[in-house]
């Protein structure tokens, strides 16, 4: 009996563990039993797919997708772009990338956010797009502001954009956060520092990309995303216990 | 030194945070921005099979409801096929098999409507009992949690299910079984998820 090719195992020492006491909210929400390792079946290897008619072309322009006609969001205008690749370094085309973020003052448009920085009437704070044939995506937005949160009394999140990414398999499903090169709050953030390997933090830090900057318009940052890779071939299962 | 392998590392996960709704369900965050939000209709109008509702509550290690959780569902149709190019079985028009579920911010209760899936062919030709695949993200969860929901009216199939059978502690298998009741003539399954503690839900590293 043949099983479809599997995705590479997640490197659980590269990702953050569930229990990270410096990020206090994790303490009561972290499973205490180990995860049960599951060899993949069709339930894990398949996953949802999305089409052009699921979204609208302007959904990736956060400067304008919630703005009154003729106006735009306030803040440092940026292009946030990159490619979705897999661990084999192959592009992942036609997959859904969604982002959300605070406005330039560090305020989220959310009924649960009461930070004193004001809402920007022309900024919703979310966008979405499909990667193209080469796995490329682009968003136009403003650079989000840092904001305070309740962890220690004086905790500030570095500027960040939340990313939600689909692959072709439910096992590739990923939510992460993109930080910006040079931000001194990165090293002080207990959420970032749930990652033990400094190289993992680097992988979440978008690089200033002068080549993609639009002169007199927008600064560019590049953020490539890597999803789990897949074995090249089908293989024969050994019978259970064989 | 050996040769360097040229694999990339997977992008590390980070928590979805408390404002995940802005990106994935902006209506719940309190504003209307997209022409259509994604993931609210799992089965579509033409799917065969029994129409069911699933409801539950996610609780943390103190027993408190997790009110800011977001759950994604991935499921087969009633014939046991996924809406995916690698599943040759095919699915009904409009059946996506994928959905997003958000909570009532005041209580943490959540629910969604779908069709009951059929058994799915598993590894080595062993049939898996009908199940929903769930992925759970929230503030305080560093990497999304995968689990499965099985159905208590499928006792024989559950007893033969290769994934439930992998759970060494038999008492913990019950954490993956949803309880069926009939409400106003329609089936509703209850599935509470406990993130931590003695009766903690079984989560998978898939």
């Amino acid at each position: 009996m043949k099983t479809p090719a599997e995705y590479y195992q997640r490197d659980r020492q590269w990702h953050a563990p569930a229990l990270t006491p410096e990020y206090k909210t994790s303490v009561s929400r972290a499973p205490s039993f180990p995860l049960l390792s599951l060899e993949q079946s069709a339930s894990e290897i398949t996953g949802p797919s999305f089409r052009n008619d699921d979204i609208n072309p302007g959904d990736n322009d956060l400067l304008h997708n919630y703005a009154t006609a003729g106006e735009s969001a306030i803040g440092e205008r940026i292009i946030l772009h990159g490619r979705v690749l897999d661990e084999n370094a192959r592009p992942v085309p036609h997959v859904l990338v969604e982002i959300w973020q605070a406005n330039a003052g560090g305020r989220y448009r959310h009924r649960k956010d009461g930070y004193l920085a004001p809402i920007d009437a022309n900024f919703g704070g979310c966008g979405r797009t499909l990667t193209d044939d080469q796995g490329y995506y682009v968003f136009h937005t403003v650079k989000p502001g840092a904001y305070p949160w309740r962890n220690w009394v004086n905790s500030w999140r570095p500027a960040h954009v939340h990313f939600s990414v689909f692959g072709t398999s439910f096992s590739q499903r990923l939510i992460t956060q993109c930080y910006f090169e040079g931000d001194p709050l990165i090293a002080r953030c207990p959420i970032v520092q749930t990652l033990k390997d400094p190289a993992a933090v680097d992988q979440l830090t978008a690089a200033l990309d002068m080549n993609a900057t639009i002169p007199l318009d927008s600064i560019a940052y590049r953020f490539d995303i890597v999803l789990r890779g897949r074995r090249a071939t089908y293989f024969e299962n050994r019978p259970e216990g064989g | 030194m050996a040769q360097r392998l040229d694999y990339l590392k997977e992008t590390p996960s980070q928590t979805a945070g408390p404002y995940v709704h802005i990106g994935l369900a902006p209506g719940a965050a309190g504003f209307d921005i997209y022409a259509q939000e994604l993931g609210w209709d799992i089965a579509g109008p033409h799917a065969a099979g029994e129409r069911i509702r699933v409801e539950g509550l996610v609780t943390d290690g103190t027993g408190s409801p997790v009110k800011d959780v977001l759950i994604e569902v991935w499921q087969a149709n009633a014939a046991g096929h996924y809406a995916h190019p690698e599943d040759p079985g095919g699915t009904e028009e409009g059946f996506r098999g994928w959905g997003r579920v958000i909570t009532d911010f005041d209580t943490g209760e959540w629910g969604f409507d779908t069709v009951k899936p059929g058994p799915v062919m598993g590894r080595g030709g062993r049939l898996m009992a009908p199940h929903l695949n769930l992925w759970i993200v929230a503030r305080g969860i560093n990497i999304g949690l995968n689990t499965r929901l099985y159905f208590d009216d499928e006792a024989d199939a559950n007893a033969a299910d290769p994934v439930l059978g992998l759970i060494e502690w038999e008492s913990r298998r019950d954490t993956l079984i949803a309880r069926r009741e009939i409400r106003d003539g329609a089936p509703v399954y209850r599935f509470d998820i406990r993130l931590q503690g003695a009766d903690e839900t079984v989560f998978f590293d898939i």
Side-chain angles (χ1 to χ4, degrees):
Chain A
M1 182 72 199
K2 291 195 170 177
T3 292
E6 297 166 307
Y7 288 78
Y8 302 143
Q9 293 168 312
R10 273 206 155 113
D11 182 349
R12 293 279 171 175
Q13 294 175 308
W14 178 250
H15 288 283
L19 178 62
T20 48
E22 297 286 286
Y23 174 27
K24 295 180 183 179
T25 313
S26 74
V27 174
S28 63
R29 295 183 171 192
S32 48
F33 289 98
L35 303 179
L36 183 68
S37 295
L38 196 60
E39 294 171 290
Q40 292 170 1
S41 68
S43 294
E44 291 75 38
I45 287 168
T46 59
S49 49
F50 300 91
R51 306 176 299 257
N52 283 322
D53 62 1
D54 285 324
I55 62 174
N56 290 333
D59 287 351
N60 69 336
D61 182 359
L62 287 74
L63 293 172
H64 300 106
N65 68 5
Y66 197 70
T68 301
E71 300 183 12
S72 77
I74 293 170
E76 181 181 339
R77 297 161 61 89
I78 65 169
I79 292 165
L80 186 55
H81 74 137
R83 287 204 297 165
V84 179
L85 305 167
D86 67 18
E87 289 173 289
N88 298 315
R90 293 192 194 100
V92 186
H94 314 305
V95 292
L96 181 66
V97 179
E98 297 160 289
I99 66 170
W100 68 101
Q101 64 171 93
N103 68 23
R107 174 75 184 268
Y108 283 98
R109 184 179 287 278
H110 192 288
R111 63 178 90 214
K112 293 288 184 186
D113 186 5
Y115 181 37
L116 51 79
I119 290 283
D120 176 351
N122 287 314
F123 188 68
C126 60
R128 56 189 186 180
T129 189
L130 294 177
T131 58
D132 73 8
D133 293 342
Q134 303 301 314
Y136 179 79
Y137 75 87
V138 60
F139 291 101
H140 299 267
T141 185
V142 293
K143 193 172 177 185
Y147 61 85
W149 61 298
R150 292 182 180 277
N151 191 65
W152 304 306
V153 168
N154 191 24
S155 296
W156 294 78
R157 294 298 329 274
H160 63 275
V161 175
H162 296 265
F163 273 75
S164 161
V165 191
F166 288 82
T168 53
S169 152
F170 205 51
S171 72
Q172 292 174 297
R173 191 76 180 83
L174 182 72
I175 281 182
T176 190
Q177 300 181 31
C178 160
Y179 305 98
F180 294 90
E181 180 181 357
D183 188 338
L185 292 171
I186 292 172
R188 291 172 169 82
C189 175
I191 291 178
V192 179
Q193 299 304 324
T194 58
L195 299 168
K196 300 307 171 209
D197 190 329
V201 177
D202 290 348
Q203 195 174 355
L204 294 185
T205 307
L208 177 66
D209 182 357
M210 289 303 290
N211 287 348
T213 291
I214 304 175
L216 308 178
D217 182 331
S218 295
I219 286 179
Y221 285 90
R222 174 135 185 140
F223 186 66
D224 288 337
I225 297 160
V226 180
L227 302 179
R228 295 168 72 176
R230 192 176 191 184
R231 290 177 183 275
T233 52
Y234 283 61
F235 62 96
E236 297 285 339
N237 285 319
R238 287 175 183 275
E240 199 75 25
Chain B
M1 287 282 281
Q3 293 183 7
R4 270 179 68 99
L5 298 174
D6 58 1
Y7 297 111
L8 304 178
K9 294 296 288 184
E10 186 188 11
T11 297
S13 172
Q14 292 264 272
T15 180
Y19 306 126
V20 59
H21 317 93
I22 296 173
L24 307 189
F31 65 110
D32 183 21
I33 182 167
Y34 294 138
Q36 55 174 338
E37 292 198 11
L38 300 172
W40 56 272
D41 185 7
I42 299 172
H46 306 300
E50 185 181 30
R51 296 275 160 174
I52 63 171
R53 181 163 178 81
V54 179
E55 294 179 350
L57 182 69
V58 180
T59 50
D60 69 12
T62 74
S64 307
V66 179
K67 298 176 181 175
D68 49 15
V69 74
L70 182 139
I71 300 172
E72 288 190 354
V73 184
W74 175 241
Q75 67 162 94
N77 69 3
H81 293 296
Y82 285 100
H84 189 273
E86 291 182 40
D87 191 326
T91 51
E92 299 89 346
E93 186 193 344
F95 178 90
R96 310 224 30 183
W98 172 77
R100 271 182 179 151
V101 186
I102 52 167
T103 59
D104 179 313
F105 290 161
D106 293 327
T107 64
E109 291 277 345
W110 50 262
F112 59 90
D113 300 306
T114 186
V115 295
K116 190 177 173 189
V120 172
M121 187 55 69
R123 295 173 64 88
R126 288 184 66 188
L127 215 53
M128 297 188 286
H131 63 278
L132 309 178
N133 306 285
L134 305 180
W135 185 69
I136 301 154
V137 297
R139 179 172 66 104
I141 295 176
N142 289 324
I143 180 165
L145 296 168
N146 290 96
T147 190
R148 288 187 176 192
L149 178 159
Y150 288 85
F151 300 90
D152 72 344
D153 53 329
E154 298 281 349
D156 290 345
N158 291 344
D161 182 80
V163 172
L164 287 173
L166 269 181
I167 303 170
E168 184 182 340
W169 312 274
E170 291 186 30
S171 63
R172 297 195 67 209
R173 295 177 189 172
D174 278 348
T175 67
L176 303 189
I177 312 292
R179 309 287 164 197
R180 181 183 176 105
E181 62 173 74
I182 299 296
R183 189 193 305 160
D184 301 331
V188 179
Y189 288 88
R190 180 78 193 182
F191 189 70
D192 292 323
I193 297 170
R194 297 168 194 87
L195 296 181
Q196 188 187 88
D199 52 358
E200 179 177 308
T201 300
V202 173
F203 298 106
F204 298 106
D205 183 7
I206 64 168

